[in-house]
Amino acid sequence: MGFKLLIILEKFLMFLPSNLRKAFFTFLGTIAYYLSSRYKKIAHQNLEFAFDNRLSEEEKKEITKYAFINLLLNFLHVMEIRHMSKEDLAQKVSIENIQAVQKVHKQGRAVIYATTHYSSWELGGAAISAFIEPIVAVYKKMKNEVYEDWLLESRDKFGNISLEKTNVVRPLVKHLKQGMGCGLLIDTNINEKDGVMVTFMGKNIRQTSTPAYLARKFDAAIIPVTIRTDDDDNYILMLFDEIVVPHTDDIEDDIQKATQAQADWLTSVITQEPKFWFWLHRRWKNDHPEIYKN
């Protein structure tokens, strides 16, 4: 019943002008901000920890409020992408530094896109597949399979292949060997066995080493990518130059250095414009659980 209502709402919203859709979801995000004390608290805990209490209460409030709004706008973008053509998407997203990928492709190498929960990650994934190349994207299985199918239909609209993270290595490697790019998130909380220790936002934390491991083993290139906006209407997909993985006799150290380089890149991006990152996620809960206790 709930999903049917979602589809009805989607059909109704698609008849409205885009500015009204954006206003509606901005309103929902604002309401969520005022009603959700739990996630508001998590965002403040993250901001206080990441910035060592250097932010004012007003800055934390503004960043947290936008985090709620941005999450709802991502939900809207999932909905809109399902009805977009490539021409529609091109009106909304431009690309910066596509030469970084073209350089790698000229070398006959596959690209591993280091992705993050930053600004409209849904539009970002769609733009990569529509204007650069379809990629294999890894996702975490959802409890609601019907909603999952709805979401993946949007994410795969322009040719992406979504793979559930359980037992994903073999099919991921298969596609990578065939020269297909892949998108791997580097900013989620992970278990000890799934990553290496790095310094992120000035704090020691575990981060996935999969991009570095795959890049080193299969001579692929790690290209960090993110997206940003000035008005929540027009977005810039930003591709960064390759993070080179060392190839020495010390494999573990090579992977460590390349993973740290990704953490340094993301730290720089977040520090410059912190409001776009997904502060509602307990990123530090495994390595620094104490910050969420109070």
Side-chain angles (χ1 to χ4, degrees), residues 193-224:
K193 62 182 179 64
D194 295 327
V196 297
M197 292 299 296
V198 297
T199 301
F200 168 61
M201 296 296 293
K203 309 295 188 297
N204 293 329
I205 193 172
R206 211 161 284 277
Q207 181 173 302
T208 178
S209 57
T210 302
Y213 171 80
L214 292 176
R216 190 184 187 283
K217 186 171 180 63
F218 300 105
D219 191 31
I222 299 174
I223 300 290

Side-chain angles (χ1 to χ4, degrees), residues 33-44:
Y33 166 76
Y34 286 110
L35 293 181
S36 181
S37 58
R38 176 188 175 189
Y39 286 100
K40 192 171 4 179
K41 182 177 181 180
I42 289 172
H44 278 239

Side-chain angles (χ1 to χ4, degrees), residues 48-270:
E48 289 166 359
F49 184 68
F51 288 96
D52 296 314
N53 294 306
R54 295 192 303 271
L55 299 179
S56 67
E57 288 300 316
E58 187 61 30
E59 287 174 317
K60 286 185 288 187
K61 177 181 177 180
E62 290 179 4
I63 292 171
T64 300
K65 185 176 181 180
Y66 186 79
F68 280 91
I69 292 172
N70 187 57
L71 180 60
L72 267 294
L73 290 177
N74 266 280
F75 186 82
L76 170 61
H77 294 154
V78 170
M79 194 176 289
E80 290 180 330
I81 289 166
R82 285 164 46 83
H83 300 267
M84 279 184 181
S85 65
K86 286 187 178 182
E87 291 72 23
D88 295 331
L89 187 60
Q91 293 295 313
K92 202 168 186 67
V93 182
S94 59
I95 301 176
E96 182 179 275
N97 194 30
I98 195 172
Q99 296 86 353
V101 173
Q102 293 171 337
K103 178 181 178 181
V104 173
H105 284 168
K106 286 180 180 178
Q107 297 169 349
R109 302 162 65 208
V111 175
I112 297 172
Y113 295 90
T115 65
T116 67
H117 291 98
Y118 192 84
S119 190
S120 182
W121 54 84
E122 298 294 346
L123 282 177
I128 292 173
S129 59
F131 307 128
I132 304 175
E133 61 175 327
I135 61 174
V136 177
V138 180
Y139 73 96
K140 184 178 180 180
K141 188 171 181 61
M142 301 177 182
K143 294 180 180 179
N144 189 321
E145 293 184 3
V146 177
Y147 173 72
E148 178 179 283
D149 290 341
W150 178 84
L151 175 63
L152 296 183
E153 184 179 321
S154 174
R155 290 182 174 176
D156 298 346
K157 173 71 180 288
F158 299 108
N160 283 347
I161 298 174
S162 295
L163 296 178
E164 202 279 315
K165 66 181 295 185
T166 306
N167 299 319
V168 75
V169 175
R170 185 172 294 180
L172 186 61
V173 167
K174 177 183 176 182
H175 288 292
L176 201 59
K177 284 182 176 180
Q178 294 172 346
M180 190 173 186
C182 66
L184 298 175
L185 285 165
I186 64 170
D187 64 345
T188 56
N189 183 63
I190 61 172
N191 297 320
E192 181 177 345
K193 62 182 179 64
D194 295 327
V196 297
M197 292 299 296
V198 297
T199 301
F200 168 61
M201 296 296 293
K203 309 295 188 297
N204 293 329
I205 193 172
R206 211 161 284 277
Q207 181 173 302
T208 178
S209 57
T210 302
Y213 171 80
L214 292 176
R216 190 184 187 283
K217 186 171 180 63
F218 300 105
D219 191 31
I222 299 174
I223 300 290
V225 58
T226 191
I227 191 169
R228 66 169 305 282
T229 180
D230 288 321
D231 56 9
D232 295 319
D233 275 322
N234 303 287
Y235 290 79
I236 301 174
L237 182 73
M238 301 184 296
L239 298 158
F240 293 76
D241 292 337
E242 176 185 359
I243 290 178
V244 178
V245 183
H247 279 70
T248 71
D249 293 332
D250 192 337
I251 298 176
E252 289 186 3
D253 187 61
D254 291 348
I255 292 173
Q256 166 69 42
K257 288 179 178 176
T259 305
Q260 180 62 61
Q262 294 167 66
D264 292 342
W265 163 76
L266 184 54
T267 295
S268 175
V269 168
I270 293 173

Side-chain angles (χ1 to χ4, degrees), residues 38 42 45-46 49 140 188-191 204-206 281-293:
R38 176 188 175 189
I42 289 172
Q45 290 167 328
N46 284 332
F49 184 68
K140 184 178 180 180
T188 56
N189 183 63
I190 61 172
N191 297 320
N204 293 329
I205 193 172
R206 211 161 284 277
H281 168 61
R282 292 189 296 170
R283 177 65 180 94
W284 285 274
K285 72 176 182 179
N286 281 351
D287 295 296
H288 299 278
E290 68 280 359
I291 73 172
Y292 303 109
K293 288 183 178 180

